[in-house]
Every structure is written in C-alpha cells, then in structure tokens.
Amino acid sequence: MGLNQQTAAGLIKMINAGTAGAGDIVTDTLQRISDVDKKVGAFIDVAGRKALLKKAEGAKGRLAGIPVALKDNLCEVNRPTTCSSRILKGFKPPYAATVVRKLEDEGAILLGKLNMDEFAFGSSCETSCYGPTRNPWDLDRIPGGSSGGSAAAVAADEAIMALGSDTGGSIRQPASLCGVVGLKPTYGRVSRYGLIAFASSLDQIGPVTKSVEDCALLLGVIAGHDEQDSTSIDTPVPDYTEFLNSDIKGLKAGVPKEYFVKGLDSEVEKAVRSAIDVFKKLGVEIVELSLPHTKYALSTYYIIASAEASSNLARFDGVQYGYRAAGAKDIINMYSSTRSKGFGEEAKRRLMLGTYVLSSGYYEAYYLKASKVRTKIKEDFDRTYERCDFIITPTSPTAAFKIGERTGDPLSMYLSDVYTIPANLAGIPAISIPCGFTGKGLPVGLQILAAAFREDIIIKAAHAFEINTDFHKRRPSL
Ligand code: GLN
C-alpha cells in the first residue's frame, strides 16, 4: 500500500514510529497525482516537488508532513487562486487565507489547487473554466460540486486531506458522491478570511477527508476566532479528536419526513434506511420529525445566495484582479466586456438573478421575504433539538450522475442540493459520511446534522457509525 493511500492519522502514527518519512509521503502522493490525475482532473495547479520536499524535511506541528490540497477559492501567497474562472486568470494573492496559514503553522504540506465549479456556483464541477473533474468511481460521471476537485482528489488518494467550501452543500454533496467524509462547520466556527466570497452569510470552509478521525483532526486545526473575520465566533475550540470512540447509546436521532419524499432515489433511500438501523443497533433512539419549511429551502437559498453573490462579485471588473478584456472604448465598455467574457454562463445567470432580486421594487418581494423564510427554516431546526441530539438524512437525493446529464437544465442541477441547503440557511454544522453503494458501485452518503457548535455530537455519531461499518474502506480502482 502506497503511503498516499493512508489516512492522516495513520501517517502520523507511522511518522512517530519512524516507519514513514515525510519526504516519502510527498513522493508517493506526487507519484499518484502524475499517475491518475490525467484521468481524474482534480488538480489545476500542483506545487513544485523540490519545494514540497524541502518543506516536508523540517515540518513540525499537528499535521507535520501531511499533504493537503486546497480548493481554488482559498488564497495562498503568490500561488494561482482563480475560483476556476477566466476572470481571475493570472491572479496570485498577496496574502494567505487564515485556514491556509493555520495549515502551514501545523506543518501541513500544501500540494496545490483543486478544481471547482466557477466561483462555487454548481453541483457537478462542470462549470469550471478548466473543464470538468471526473468521479474516481466512474470517470463518465461528475464528482459533485462545487468542491468536486477536493472530493475527487481525496477519493483517488491524490491528497491525504483537502479543504473545500460549502455555501449550500459544496463540501457534503461531492463528499457523498465520491465516498469520502466532508464537514460543513457551524457558521462562524472557521474564519472565512481569504476565502473568495460567494455568499457571505452562508459560506464556510471545511475538511474533506478519508475518515471521521481525520475530519476531527483537521477541523481542530482550522477552527477558531479570527480578528480578520468579524463573523467568526470567539468560543473555545475543543480537541475534536477527544470525541472519537464515544459510546452513543442513549442519544436520540431525528429523522425528518420531508427528506424522504419524491425525487429520492430508491437505492439511496435503502442505504440511508440501513444506516438508520445501524444507529438503532448502537442504542440510538430514532425519533420521527417534521421540518415543515424544508420545501421552501431551495428557492430561499437561490434568492439569498444569488443576491449576495451579485454584490460580492461586483469587484471583478477588470480593474484590480486577473483578466481584463482588450480593446475597450471606455471604462463602462471595459467593465462590461471584461465581465461578459470573464464569467461563464452559470456565473452570469446567478449574477443577473441576484441583481434582479435586490433591485428596487423587487427587494421586498424577494430578498426580504426570503430572509424571513430563512428564519422559519432555522426555527424548524431549533425546535427539533428539544427532541433529539442529532438529525440523520440522505446527503444527496441521487448518486453521481453522468457528465453532461444536467448541464442543460439548471433546475435539475439545483435539486442536487435540496438536502444540504437547509443547514447553510440555519447556520448549523453537518457532515456527510459514506453509508453504502448503489448497484452500479457508486457511493452513497449519509448526512448528520446537529445544533450550532455541536460538531462534537456530529463527530461522536459519525465515528461510531464509521467504526461499525466498512463503507469508508472501499477505494475506487483507477
Ligand atoms: N450547488 C449549490 C449552488 O450551486 C451550492 C454551491 C456551494 O455550496 N458553493 O449554489
């Protein structure tokens, strides 16, 4: 078994025991990237071998010598950071995202940048200006999105761990479709400083890993208050690995009926129902729940997220960053032709939708109303925590679909996130963990949600499930 196939926790043990060296881990990982990434297309930029080996030599800290890859919307000093968009072509940030700095402080070896849907708009990794990433389990299928590169790289053993960002499901949905673990932390748990913003009230950065143990480890490194992000919350960061191997007997798990309706694939439902049985066997009491405002979540999200995106992306106008269209007659013409040529189709659709819902006369009818419904959705969750400790649902209504299958129909694409979006609107944490496979051998993910700042409960429940099942051990054959 190559060192690249290990988990971070496994490698840390080996390094401490002297049975693996940080240099060998880098070498095996880079070899894997050169062997399979032509097929998978997870990376859009890989750091130089020499520099990585040099870093590995002196690495110290909780992630010393562990190769970690980053979604292309996280700023790294003087390294390409483009959000997979033409408009940011050539952009190299002068500063590092707080999470990137924290990884470096703990000795992680930053491998490079991972493909994503342009500006994180999407669920399939097909809107990237670099072309699609492919699902390591079936190269004709999408890896999910928008952090498709993060999930595919980890699933294909091209990175030991990765970071993604999640605005409406972008960590959890690709994790589910690629058979890996992905966590969206509570809003405010992780600093967003240096994450190129999509929708500032929804975005969170989180871990994509091969195991719940690694997820706990990585969350502990990136979490915490940051003066550079006024929405990051000043509450102590526990050692999340302390919640591993906990007895979950006596805990209560809610199963919301609104998540088991038309549109849910029967094989996915079967895997999730069996997962619920595993929890029962572990002594968890299952409680039937209702989250009555779930049916409004998707439309609420597309109004709020697009509105915030249209305002955040106004800064990309050809003046300060990246691409500028040539041959403009005047400044207005330069803005419009830069934005017309720089943004892809889906980005333009979102920006127009967002501008529309914020415009005078429509603001009250759309944006303000959506904000009120958002509160209702949050209150649905608040009520459940009086009755249960965590909630279990499918992560995505279907397993990975074929490349090209949904690109012509934005609405069917948007539906991939019906089960993940509510957590972002409510600001609560949620994880996706592997819970089964379809008849075609495609991974199925289980979502576990908890109240704000209760990542501890999520880690307990997810780890108990993981150590009592084998789904996370299966790897794709590439
Ligand atoms: N797929 C959703 C969207 O397109 C969520 C994306 C995300 O979480 N960044 O907006």
Side-chain angles (χ1 to χ4, degrees):
M1 182 152 127
L3 293 170
N4 60 298
Q5 287 170 285
Q6 299 280 349
T7 60
L11 288 172
I12 291 167
K13 275 195 206 108
M14 292 172 79
I15 294 173
N16 290 339
T19 53
D24 301 330
I25 300 171
V26 168
T27 303
D28 279 11
T29 308
L30 288 177
Q31 186 59 48
R32 179 67 174 172
I33 295 172
S34 83
D35 289 345
V36 303
D37 207 53
K38 278 186 286 297
K39 291 191 250 178
V40 179
F43 278 88
I44 56 188
D45 181 63
V46 183
R49 181 189 177 83
K50 263 200 190 149
L52 292 179
L53 285 173
K54 187 145 178 268
K55 281 209 183 112
E57 240 172 62
K60 282 198 180 56
R62 278 183 283 171
L63 296 178
I66 304 299
V68 181
L70 303 171
K71 187 174 181 176
D72 195 36
N73 56 0
L74 292 165
C75 290
E76 218 183 328
V77 178
N78 215 15
R79 302 277 318 160
T81 302
T82 70
C83 285
S84 291
S85 178
R86 260 191 310 279
I87 210 159
L88 275 176
K89 213 171 143 201
F91 176 62
K92 290 184 180 167
Y95 68 98
T98 297
V99 292
V100 172
R101 187 180 49 71
K102 287 185 169 203
L103 286 175
E104 284 180 321
D105 288 351
E106 293 293 347
I109 309 299
L110 302 181
L111 285 174
K113 288 302 177 55
L114 298 163
N115 202 16
M116 57 185 279
D117 281 293
E118 183 178 14
F119 281 104
F121 303 143
S123 315
S124 68
C125 224
E126 291 168 292
T127 67
S128 161
C129 72
Y130 306 105
T133 295
R134 291 164 187 277
N135 192 314
W137 294 89
D138 178 347
L139 297 170
D140 291 331
R141 292 175 189 269
I142 56 102
S146 64
S147 314
S150 308
V154 172
D157 294 314
E158 296 178 69
I160 306 301
M161 315 201 270
L163 288 184
S165 68
D166 190 312
T167 307
S170 273
I171 289 175
R172 291 160 287 154
Q173 185 258 17
S176 161
L177 272 42
C178 289
V180 295
V181 175
L183 172 78
K184 181 200 87 75
T186 305
Y187 183 78
R189 179 70 293 188
V190 176
S191 166
R192 292 179 295 111
Y193 180 72
L195 164 71
I196 298 177
F198 163 0
S200 308
S201 78
L202 299 161
D203 298 342
Q204 269 294 289
I205 301 165
V208 179
T209 57
K210 299 181 198 181
S211 69
V212 175
E213 183 175 13
D214 281 8
C215 177
L217 188 64
L218 187 49
L219 177 64
V221 169
I222 62 172
H225 177 60
D226 177 13
E227 278 179 5
Q228 309 270 27
D229 173 4
S230 61
T231 65
S232 71
I233 310 287
D234 199 358
T235 158
V237 180
D239 175 357
Y240 290 104
T241 60
E242 276 182 9
F243 307 117
L244 300 166
N245 300 305
S246 301
D247 186 2
I248 59 168
K249 197 163 162 219
L251 289 185
K252 290 188 183 141
V255 178
K257 63 172 199 271
E258 289 81 3
Y259 284 66
F260 295 84
V261 291
K262 204 173 136 256
L264 175 59
D265 176 83
S266 62
E267 286 185 295
V268 172
E269 172 159 13
K270 206 170 142 225
V272 171
R273 298 261 183 223
S274 323
I276 294 172
D277 289 339
V278 172
F279 280 107
K280 273 191 205 152
K281 284 203 194 91
L282 295 173
V284 170
E285 187 188 328
I286 305 297
V287 188
E288 292 274 333
L289 285 182
S290 171
L291 297 165
H293 296 89
T294 302
K295 57 178 177 293
Y296 305 115
L298 197 69
S299 25
T300 303
Y301 168 83
Y302 274 93
I303 291 170
I304 293 174
S306 307
E308 293 184 17
S310 74
S311 138
N312 274 325
L313 271 62
R315 62 173 67 99
F316 303 112
D317 55 9
V319 176
Q320 290 193 65
Y321 315 99
Y323 170 79
R324 176 186 296 179
K329 292 191 287 293
D330 53 36
I331 182 97
I332 300 295
N333 182 248
M334 192 280 282
Y335 291 155
S336 71
S337 75
T338 296
R339 286 170 68 85
S340 305
K341 291 182 187 136
F343 289 126
E345 287 296 302
E346 182 61 23
K348 285 185 218 168
R349 184 177 296 120
R350 304 282 179 117
L351 300 183
M352 284 190 283
L353 187 64
T355 306
Y356 176 77
V357 300
L358 286 177
S359 56
S360 125
Y362 297 102
Y363 175 87
E364 286 78 10
Y366 294 109
Y367 188 78
L368 195 63
K369 198 164 179 187
S371 304
K372 289 178 182 165
V373 180
R374 178 179 189 171
T375 304
K376 292 279 174 210
I377 290 167
K378 183 178 173 297
E379 287 168 356
D380 277 0
F381 283 107
D382 290 346
R383 268 192 296 275
T384 68
Y385 299 120
E386 293 154 13
R387 295 183 55 208
C388 65
D389 301 289
F390 60 95
I391 292 176
I392 7 191
T393 77
T395 305
S396 178
T398 66
F401 44 92
K402 288 255 171 74
I403 289 180
E405 194 179 310
R406 299 192 188 173
T407 40
D409 181 1
L411 196 59
S412 78
M413 189 71 88
Y414 297 171
L415 281 167
S416 327
D417 300 297
V418 274
Y419 297 147
T420 48
I421 279 171
N424 300 77
L425 290 170
I428 59 174
I431 201 170
S432 179
I433 54 172
C435 78
F437 289 87
T438 65
K440 290 200 172 84
L442 300 169
V444 177
L446 178 77
Q447 181 174 230
I448 303 175
L449 309 93
F453 294 98
R454 297 315 304 267
E455 280 84 356
D456 58 325
I457 298 182
I458 290 185
I459 303 278
K460 282 183 190 170
H463 192 246
F465 182 84
E466 185 176 273
I467 57 180
N468 284 285
T469 54
D470 284 330
F471 307 113
H472 64 290
K473 290 187 189 147
R474 247 200 256 178
R475 313 303 315 157
S477 59
L478 269 163

